[in-house]
Amino acid sequence: MQIPFKPTALAIALACLVPAGLAFAAEPQAAPAAAETTVTTPGGRATFLLPQGWASRVQGNAVIVTPPEADGSRSAFVDTTATDVDAAVAEAWKVLGLDPKFLLATDAAPRDGWDQRRFYDYDIPANAKRVVNASAFRKGKAWTVVVADVDQAIAEKRASQYGKIAQRFQPAGYARETFAGRAAHKLDAAKLAQVADFIERMRQQFEVPGVAIGIVQDGKVVMSRGFGVRELGKPAPVDGDTRFMIASNTKALTTLMLAKLVDAGKLDWNARAEDVYPAFKLGDAATTDKVLVKHLICACTGLPRQDMEWLFEGEKQTPETVMSTLGTMQPTSGFGELFQYSNPMAAAAGYIGGQVAYPGGELGASYDKAMQALVFDPLGMRNTTFDYAKAQTGNYAAPHGFDIDHKVEVMDMGLNDTIVASRPAGAAWGTVNDLLRYVQMEIDRGVLPDGTRYIGEAALLQRREPQIALGVDRNYAMALMVDKSDGVTVVDHGGDMGGFHSNMMWWPEQKVGAVILTNADEGVYLRGPFKRRLMELMFDGEAQAQATADANAKANREGFDAFRKLLQIPGDAAALAALAPRYRNDALGDIVVSRRDGKARIDVGAFSSEIVTQPQPDGSMAFVTIDPVAAGFQLVRADKDGMRKLVVRDGQHEYVFDEVK
């Protein structure tokens, strides 16, 4: 996980997880949909999928959609009569009776049948705790606009459903591209040269110092190479053996270790987690009772993200305290109802597996031993490790991010170090060549290159069985995403830590797999276009990847500049001076505030950063970190009853820090 530096202008049509907000008017209630339903906008211009349990009603030229919570969250799909895009968006906001403060409009590449797509962000008070955005779509000369005013917690909880709506929002009568029935072309030298040129162009566009990619086809490595450098300012190049943090790609390797135990008869996917490891306890007893081994890493238990303990207290945590954190976690949706990602649960999966393999040992040591013996050694993954001292010697990549002036610089590793205590969820370092060995094994359904069977098919493939929906024909399995939305099956997973972003993917039927590793935060924007470019070359797909990358690069810089203008740099002297020297929250520990040379810094233990001020439209004041290691982290002043307080929020939690006197 990374802390985002700025709001993204390329939010999906309905849900952008940027804190925002406005007051809402009371809405008449409509009957919820008994099943997933295709909805057509009143003007007949567009269609989308309405999830089961959601409600919709027609109001003039708009259809208004509300999630099951009926808490005032609503989105409107409006067929406007305006011919100018800004006028069309203004007309759409009138449907909801809102006039948000404009921040930024950016264009995305044409896609899904639309000739033009434009996304709007707004400057909304953080304390409102709402998501407010607009998206305009043109087909021919006509615009359909989507405006959203959604509770922040609902936006995060139901992000997969909002994504599903956006995924199938398209012009009426549009037939989506499909690769079903197409045989994959051989990725010959000419096609691989196109891949290399594409990667290098993106690397330069997004100012990523180093990228490593690898591709396998029909049992052979057809590409393994690096682009750029391991560390800015130093000449050492990236290659296929350069170590990067692979972050959440660790999860798939963790479930492979579990699968090896299942294959050996030492573990059952359908055993209750509490029966396997009696100390396993969640904050909700009913949920604890339902969790089977396969649910530990399915993102389907109803538990939301709860990463702040790790981010703030990671340097103090141990595997044992990570397991105890589970006892504070409460579900916010029904079991099996919604995709909600959980790093602590993934960590628990690994530690429980480690105890099955090597009972009685320290949690971290047993897990490490199990991963080495059951995964890394038999697959020949010699450069994959959880040993940070070993990882950061020799041929390794340093993390990078932008400073406040949009200059790329080397990023401190402090925040990344915090994942060590939760390492089954995302702490591994690996290389393209090592990960290609793993991907090839997946493609070969458990058989190694020398013909020996590494693992039985049943245990291996159970990891790919859908556990919870991510979208239309997109499902999350056991730390693997299985996507059939393009008519062919692709299995993949991404990984994100500060200054490191990666992805691994494979098309099982086509016997093609790929890995991409990057050493900068902007590397996150390379993953989707890389995957798309491979599909274009394999299946003669419509040319979309380059246009997407170009639009993303432009929008990304515009978003950075827009957010930069919201900040007071240097920070407001009076506001910074009014901060207490120390604040404390029982769950997250201390925030220490220091001042020097007219600047202020916060230190939370796991990371520190200069902070600046961001006045809010409602008159409140927010403080924002600007050092690349944790850039864009927001704290809001919330003094009460003469006590100085700061508030930190994630999507579904709020943490109040009280002044320490």
Side-chain angles (χ1 to χ4, degrees):
M1 175 185 173
Q2 83 169 101
I3 298 174
F5 177 55
K6 55 198 174 294
T8 175
L10 296 179
I12 60 175
L14 300 177
C16 161
L17 300 182
V18 177
L22 287 174
F24 55 84
E27 293 285 342
Q29 297 300 306
E36 186 175 272
T37 306
T38 298
V39 177
T40 302
T41 55
R45 298 178 189 167
T47 61
F48 61 90
L49 289 180
L50 184 71
Q52 181 179 357
W54 290 53
S56 67
R57 65 179 183 85
V58 174
Q59 178 179 307
N61 64 336
V63 57
I64 297 176
V65 170
T66 55
E69 288 77 9
D71 64 342
S73 296
R74 65 250 169 91
S75 306
F77 297 71
V78 187
D79 289 328
T80 78
T81 57
T83 56
D84 173 76
V85 59
D86 292 334
V89 172
E91 179 184 333
W93 278 120
K94 291 179 181 178
V95 173
L96 297 186
L98 302 175
D99 184 21
K101 183 181 179 183
F102 174 77
L103 176 62
L104 175 69
T106 55
D107 290 310
R111 198 179 70 189
D112 297 333
W114 298 106
D115 298 325
Q116 185 178 351
R117 302 186 298 148
R118 178 169 289 182
F119 295 83
Y120 291 72
D121 291 320
Y122 299 89
D123 183 17
I124 310 298
N127 284 331
K129 296 183 287 187
R130 298 186 74 79
V131 170
V132 175
N133 55 43
S135 312
F137 302 83
R138 180 178 59 82
K139 182 66 176 179
K141 296 182 179 180
W143 289 94
T144 298
V145 177
V146 184
V147 289
D149 171 29
V150 181
D151 177 84
Q152 183 179 324
I154 301 303
E156 179 175 279
K157 181 174 78 171
R158 298 195 176 274
S160 61
Q161 292 185 319
Y162 279 111
K164 190 174 197 176
I165 295 171
Q167 185 191 352
R168 281 296 184 262
F169 178 68
Q170 59 194 41
Y174 172 69
R176 294 178 59 85
E177 179 186 43
T178 179
F179 302 135
R182 301 188 194 181
H185 293 304
K186 180 178 177 60
L187 295 171
D188 57 19
K191 287 184 170 62
L192 293 172
Q194 292 183 65
V195 172
D197 290 345
F198 180 63
I199 291 293
E200 177 59 18
R201 177 173 174 174
M202 282 202 299
R203 187 188 72 81
Q204 294 185 31
Q205 279 182 304
F206 291 97
E207 300 181 65
V208 178
V211 180
I213 64 169
I215 303 172
V216 294
Q217 185 173 36
D218 296 329
K220 297 181 180 179
V221 176
V222 297
M223 177 178 280
S224 173
R225 61 171 293 184
F227 303 80
V229 296
R230 305 174 202 167
E231 183 175 338
L232 198 65
K234 298 181 179 180
V238 172
D239 60 30
D241 289 319
T242 301
R243 283 186 299 278
F244 295 73
M245 283 197 77
I246 67 171
S248 286
N249 284 307
T250 308
K251 293 180 173 71
L253 302 178
T254 294
T255 65
L256 180 58
M257 180 266 285
L258 298 178
K260 283 286 289 181
L261 295 172
V262 171
D263 193 48
K266 297 179 179 180
L267 188 63
D268 187 336
W269 290 124
N270 294 308
R272 291 173 69 249
E274 194 175 16
D275 291 338
V276 177
Y277 187 69
F280 174 78
K281 293 287 188 296
L282 303 173
D284 179 73
T287 305
T288 302
D289 189 61
K290 293 177 183 176
V291 175
L292 308 180
V293 171
K294 65 182 180 183
H295 297 141
L296 290 168
I297 204 160
C298 72
C300 64
T301 62
L303 297 172
R305 277 190 178 272
Q306 190 169 316
D307 293 331
M308 288 297 180
E309 286 88 345
W310 146 40
L311 293 170
F312 272 70
E313 294 284 88
E315 87 284 2
K316 300 177 184 177
Q317 287 194 329
T318 65
E320 287 73 21
T321 63
V322 170
M323 294 296 289
S324 67
T325 297
L326 297 174
T328 70
M329 296 175 60
Q330 297 284 341
T332 57
S333 61
F335 200 99
E337 177 189 3
L338 296 171
F339 171 83
Q340 295 207 72
Y341 202 71
S342 175
N343 283 301
M345 284 287 282
Y351 291 139
I352 291 173
Q355 287 300 298
V356 172
Y358 299 101
E362 188 272 326
L363 290 177
S366 290
Y367 169 76
D368 295 348
K369 190 175 180 180
M371 292 295 291
Q372 195 69 46
L374 300 179
V375 179
F376 301 157
D377 285 346
L379 292 183
M381 300 174 72
R382 297 180 181 85
N383 287 313
T384 303
T385 184
F386 294 105
D387 185 336
Y388 273 41
K390 176 183 177 181
Q392 297 175 79
T393 58
N395 188 359
Y396 77 99
H400 299 78
F402 283 126
D403 68 11
I404 195 63
D405 296 314
H406 205 265
K407 181 182 177 182
V408 181
E409 63 179 45
V410 178
M411 183 184 294
D412 182 82
M413 277 290 295
L415 188 62
N416 289 339
D417 292 341
T418 63
I419 191 63
V420 171
S422 302
R423 53 189 173 277
W429 290 74
T431 69
V432 155
N433 286 333
D434 274 8
L435 290 172
L436 286 180
R437 293 183 176 92
Y438 162 74
V439 168
Q440 188 63 64
M441 182 278 300
E442 289 275 10
I443 294 171
D444 291 337
R445 303 166 73 93
V447 176
L448 298 179
D450 64 2
T452 60
R453 177 160 291 283
Y454 160 69
I455 188 173
E457 281 193 30
L460 179 74
L461 298 183
Q462 279 181 289
R463 298 161 54 250
R464 304 183 200 173
E465 294 179 358
Q467 300 293 324
I468 197 72
L470 275 169
V472 182
D473 294 323
R474 296 177 182 173
N475 294 281
Y476 199 76
M478 295 185 209
L480 295 170
M481 299 181 186
V482 183
D483 188 349
K484 300 180 180 181
S485 60
D486 293 308
V488 294
T489 300
V490 57
V491 184
D492 72 335
H493 206 283
D496 305 281
M497 290 294 294
F500 293 106
H501 298 271
S502 59
N503 206 60
M504 56 184 183
M505 66 203 78
W506 60 94
W507 291 262
E509 288 82 9
Q510 287 72 30
K511 297 188 180 302
V512 176
V515 176
I516 179 169
L517 307 176
T518 71
N519 68 348
D521 278 337
E522 306 307 287
V524 68
Y525 297 104
L526 275 60
R527 300 185 304 194
F530 171 58
K531 178 180 177 181
R532 174 67 198 185
R533 187 66 182 127
L534 286 179
M535 296 181 77
E536 292 171 4
L537 293 169
M538 285 193 293
F539 303 113
D540 294 322
E542 299 169 0
Q544 297 179 3
Q546 189 62 69
T548 298
D550 292 346
N552 285 358
K554 183 176 182 292
N556 183 54
R557 180 57 193 261
E558 291 172 350
F560 187 104
D561 293 342
F563 184 66
R564 173 69 167 79
K565 291 177 182 177
L566 296 178
L567 305 179
Q568 295 175 323
I569 304 175
D572 181 270
L576 294 173
L579 290 171
R582 185 181 292 269
Y583 296 85
R584 181 167 183 78
N585 175 272
D586 288 341
L588 304 188
D590 289 358
I591 295 175
V592 177
V593 180
S594 60
R595 300 172 183 83
R596 184 177 180 181
D597 299 329
K599 299 179 179 180
R601 296 187 66 83
I602 63 165
D603 190 332
V604 307
F607 65 89
S608 67
S609 173
E610 181 184 351
I611 55 172
V612 296
T613 47
Q614 182 187 356
Q616 301 291 293
D618 62 355
S620 62
M621 179 64 76
F623 304 91
V624 180
T625 58
I626 63 171
D627 289 5
V629 65
F633 195 86
Q634 190 180 69
L635 308 95
V636 181
R637 187 170 175 181
D639 297 1
K640 186 178 180 181
D641 300 329
M643 291 289 294
R644 289 183 285 187
K645 300 175 183 288
L646 291 175
V647 174
V648 171
R649 299 185 179 99
D650 64 16
Q652 299 185 65
H653 301 95
E654 180 171 284
Y655 301 88
V656 179
F657 287 78
D658 297 312
E659 175 185 0
V660 177
K661 293 188 175 180

